[in-house]
Amino acid sequence: MNVSPRPYLTAALAGIGGEIKNHPEDFEVEEIPLYEPEGDGHHAYLWVEKCGVTGQQLISDLARHFDVPKRDIGAAGIKDKHALTRQWVSIPFFEVPTDDPAELIGEVSPRIKVLDAKLHRNKLRTGHLQGNRFRVVVRDLALPGEEALARAQAILAVLGAQGLPNYYGAQRFGIEGQTLALGVALLRGEKEAKNRVRRNRFMKRLAVSAVQSELFNRVLIARLEKGILSTALDGDVAQKTDTNGVFAIPADELAECQGRLERGEIVLTGPMPGPKMIAPERAAQEFEEGVFAASGFDLSLFEQQARLASGTRRPLLVDTGDLTVELETRDDQEVLVLGFSLPSGSYATVLLREIMKSDA
């Protein structure tokens, strides 16, 4: 199984070219928390800014600075190394020698700073975030600034109206698809693959999930190519935008659900296969099974890895928040500065490649 080429939603619109991440400060990521710390409790939530630092290094440096075990530090998500990022991180407050969380504010290392600190009752857990806000500088544009701005605005208008295809980005599958290949080998029970991840449960989970991600992408691609990304099929699994509850669309409610879809009350979902995934029915089931059959992959293999890949559904399209684009001059050259937000688990590079028309 190879990584599928991902067609653009805005293929009819020319891109701006350019480069990103020339400097970590060109790629700002700010976490949108699922909840705010309440101001009381046994855990200190630290609003941390880092630049050019991996997620693992952040945890290690915080543990050393505050003299707490790494296992007791909590974070909702791992942020990119090649970026300027801000996020909440929790540490056990009862293990630090102060009664005032404000005393935790300050420099941890030259590239890590605690900007704020508040108390909360529980440790911060993986996934406890609503999404992320981005501010990205695109340099080395392929055309004059005003033309690039006009192109970007046209593309953003389409994405703002229709939504962003919720692809898994190329980085999800490893260099030249190596993580995906490992996941396929693991699911097929190949001995060499098992030996590679015997002591690395994180890599094992990542590899198996890469197979789910590729199958999701293939369903998304098939719907985009048929022009039905925003068209509800009989039996599609939809997700409510207010509660995140999922349900299969009944045949006699198809027209009603199409209206709810257009009003933003529900979104259509694609498959992350596994034994606990809510399956579509009727026409939608036939469509997804056709994509799976074309892949040549045996979905029953996920049964053997139920703990790592229980299965779920993922929105096919996501809202990009308040999209903005500005033309600026930095370091004596014209650049575009893009602002947008995405829900947790969605890739900023997927939006950027639509605008740049490159594999950003």
Side-chain angles (χ1 to χ4, degrees):
M1 182 186 293
N2 296 319
V3 179
S4 300
R6 294 161 293 149
Y8 299 111
L9 178 69
T10 60
L13 298 173
I16 65 171
E19 294 185 2
I20 59 172
K21 298 186 178 181
N22 285 13
H23 313 285
E25 295 84 355
D26 283 353
F27 201 93
E28 291 188 34
V29 187
E30 184 169 296
E31 191 172 272
I32 305 172
L34 192 62
Y35 48 81
E36 295 290 339
E38 296 179 343
D40 185 44
H42 298 296
H43 296 268
Y45 276 35
L46 311 177
W47 184 242
V48 177
E49 180 180 272
K50 68 178 181 68
C51 186
V53 175
T54 67
Q56 292 300 319
Q57 188 63 53
L58 171 66
I59 299 302
S60 295
D61 285 3
L62 289 173
R64 181 171 57 254
H65 183 77
F66 292 110
D67 194 23
V68 298
K70 287 196 291 186
R71 66 177 180 274
D72 291 341
I73 297 177
I78 298 173
K79 299 293 184 284
D80 198 331
K81 173 185 178 180
H82 302 290
L84 173 65
T85 73
R86 288 176 288 275
Q87 67 183 110
W88 285 111
V89 178
S90 72
I91 65 171
F93 189 57
F94 54 85
E95 293 191 22
V96 296
T98 180
D99 295 325
D100 183 2
E103 293 184 7
L104 305 178
I105 297 172
E107 185 175 284
V108 173
S109 73
R111 289 190 168 270
I112 300 173
K113 298 176 182 177
V114 176
L115 305 178
D116 195 8
K118 297 179 181 178
L119 299 183
H120 194 66
R121 291 172 297 171
N122 57 269
K123 177 182 178 180
L124 188 58
R125 301 290 181 182
T126 301
H128 283 197
L129 74 162
Q130 183 177 332
N132 295 286
R133 294 186 187 90
F134 298 88
R135 186 171 174 83
V136 180
V137 178
V138 184
R139 297 178 183 266
D140 299 323
L141 302 170
L143 63 166
E146 290 293 345
E147 294 179 40
L149 177 62
R151 287 189 184 185
Q153 289 171 332
I155 293 169
L156 293 178
V158 174
L159 298 179
Q162 298 185 28
L164 175 72
N166 199 21
Y167 288 126
Y168 282 94
Q171 63 267 46
R172 184 69 187 78
F173 306 104
I175 298 171
E176 297 182 347
Q178 292 177 12
T179 305
L180 174 62
L182 176 61
V184 171
L186 284 171
L187 287 164
R188 290 177 176 167
E190 296 180 14
K191 185 176 181 180
E192 182 180 347
K194 289 182 178 179
N195 289 337
R196 282 183 60 190
V197 299
R198 188 175 303 278
R199 299 180 182 277
N200 192 337
R201 184 173 176 82
F202 172 79
M203 190 62 209
K204 182 178 181 180
R205 182 184 295 276
L206 189 67
V208 171
S209 179
V211 182
Q212 294 175 298
S213 304
E214 172 61 20
L215 292 169
F216 170 87
N217 275 4
R218 292 191 180 200
V219 169
L220 195 162
I221 290 166
R223 293 190 72 134
L224 187 153
E225 291 177 340
K226 287 187 174 293
I228 54 172
L229 261 183
S230 300
T231 302
L233 300 177
D234 177 23
D236 254 333
V237 178
Q239 183 180 63
K240 299 177 183 178
T241 53
D242 57 350
T243 65
N244 292 329
V246 295
F247 65 97
I249 296 175
D252 60 354
E253 295 181 16
L254 185 58
E256 176 189 343
C257 285
Q258 182 64 39
R260 294 177 64 189
L261 179 63
E262 293 168 3
R263 292 191 298 272
E265 297 171 7
I266 61 173
V267 295
L268 301 179
T269 70
M272 294 288 286
K276 293 185 179 180
M277 183 191 79
I278 296 178
E281 301 172 1
R282 300 177 298 281
Q285 180 182 18
E286 182 179 350
F287 183 87
E288 291 189 8
E289 288 181 349
V291 176
F292 297 149
S295 76
F297 186 79
D298 182 2
L299 265 68
S300 68
L301 295 177
F302 285 112
E303 298 282 348
Q304 304 168 26
Q305 298 290 346
R307 289 187 177 182
L308 296 178
S310 59
T312 187
R313 303 291 298 189
R314 173 180 171 92
L316 293 168
L317 291 165
V318 291
D319 184 16
T320 52
D322 295 326
L323 288 164
T324 63
V325 58
E326 300 170 347
L327 180 62
E328 296 184 6
T329 300
R330 297 193 182 187
D331 301 324
D332 298 322
Q333 67 167 291
E334 291 183 314
V335 302
L336 287 189
V337 182
L338 299 159
F340 55 94
S341 61
L342 292 172
S344 174
S346 296
Y347 287 70
T349 50
V350 171
L351 184 146
L352 292 166
R353 73 184 287 271
E354 287 278 352
I355 298 169
M356 300 166 70
K357 294 296 185 292
S358 65
D359 288 321

